[in-house]
Amino acid sequence: MTQLYVLDAGVLISTWTDKKIDSTFITTPGIIEEVRNRMSRFRAETLFLLEKMDERTPGVVEVKRVESVATSTGDHSVLSTNDIDLIALALTVINEGTKVTLVSTDFAVLNTASRLDIPIVDPNQKFKQRITWGMRCPACYYKSKTATRDTDCPVCGTVMRRTPLRKRKQS
Ligand SMILES: [Zn+2]
C-alpha cells in the first residue's frame, strides 16, 4: 500500500515530494489556490504535482473539532482557514480508517495536529515540542490562559503577546 500524505502549501513548493515518488498526496482546494497564487515562484515539478494531486474538502465535524483543539492549544489565532481545513482534512481521512501523515513546516499546524494524534512530518525537523500557548503582557507580566490576537492587558492596557504556558517533548 502506498503512503498517503496530506500536504501544506509550504511543502508543495519545496523539494520534499521529490523523494516520495511512490506516495499519494492530497490537500484542500484552499491550499491548491494558495499555491497557484504564488505561481511565479514555483518549480515546474510543483505544477506537475498539482495536476496529479487529489483535492478534498474536510468534513464539517472535523473542522469544528480542529477549531476547538486549536483554541485549547492557543494556536487558533495564528491559524488561517486553509491551515484549519488542512488539519481537518487529515482528521477526516483518519476517521474514514485510512492511515495518513500530515506534512507541514508550520509550527501552529504541527502543534494542533499533534494534539489531535495525527501523525506528522516536519521536513525541516524543527518541530520538537508541543506547546500550549497563552498570552503575556510585556509591561506588567500579567498572564492569560486564553490565546487570542491583539488582546489588551486587562491590568495595564498594553497589547499582550503569545507566550508558551506548557511545553511537552514531541515523541
Ligand atoms: Zn499589563
Side-chain angles (χ1 to χ4, degrees):
M1 214 179 84
T2 62
Q3 170 70 46
L4 179 64
Y5 292 101
V6 176
L7 301 187
D8 201 350
V11 177
L12 262 164
I13 56 173
S14 77
T15 56
W16 185 84
T17 52
D18 292 1
K19 293 165 217 140
K20 306 280 175 191
I21 312 153
D22 296 327
S23 305
T24 316
F25 308 116
I26 54 167
T27 195
T28 64
I31 295 286
I32 297 264
E33 201 189 314
E34 188 180 324
V35 171
R36 282 199 200 283
N37 288 342
R38 284 150 71 178
M39 203 69 112
S40 56
R41 291 193 292 164
F42 264 166
R43 309 176 308 130
E45 291 88 341
T46 308
L47 291 174
F48 175 73
L49 191 62
L50 281 188
E51 296 310 316
K52 69 169 203 165
M53 190 154 57
D54 276 338
E55 55 173 272
R56 274 193 63 184
T57 308
V60 178
V61 174
E62 282 81 3
V63 170
K64 288 239 157 64
R65 174 97 181 102
V66 170
E67 283 181 333
S68 142
V69 169
T71 302
S72 72
T73 61
D75 288 306
H76 199 283
S77 64
V78 295
L79 288 170
S80 66
T81 308
N82 277 351
D83 293 334
I84 287 172
D85 281 356
L86 189 76
I87 304 164
L89 175 61
L91 199 59
T92 304
V93 174
I94 288 168
N95 286 348
E96 289 167 356
T98 307
K99 271 180 87 175
V100 73
T101 300
L102 176 60
V103 192
S104 178
T105 52
D106 185 316
F107 276 24
V109 168
L110 295 168
N111 200 44
T112 305
S114 113
R115 199 65 68 91
L116 283 154
D117 293 323
I118 296 168
I120 50 167
V121 165
D122 169 19
N124 297 340
Q125 296 182 309
K126 285 183 180 154
F127 182 74
K128 303 277 188 221
Q129 50 193 359
R130 296 183 185 191
I131 295 176
T132 302
W133 295 94
M135 302 294 283
R136 195 176 79 128
C137 173
C140 75
Y141 306 114
Y142 169 83
K143 262 190 187 180
S144 159
K145 279 188 178 169
T146 332
T148 44
R149 209 191 302 249
D150 303 329
T151 308
D152 292 342
C153 173
V155 179
C156 72
T158 309
V159 176
M160 312 219 304
R161 299 202 184 118
R162 243 167 46 115
T163 187
L165 293 179
R166 276 194 308 279
K167 290 178 180 179
R168 214 184 94 189
K169 227 178 176 170
Q170 168 66 19
S171 47

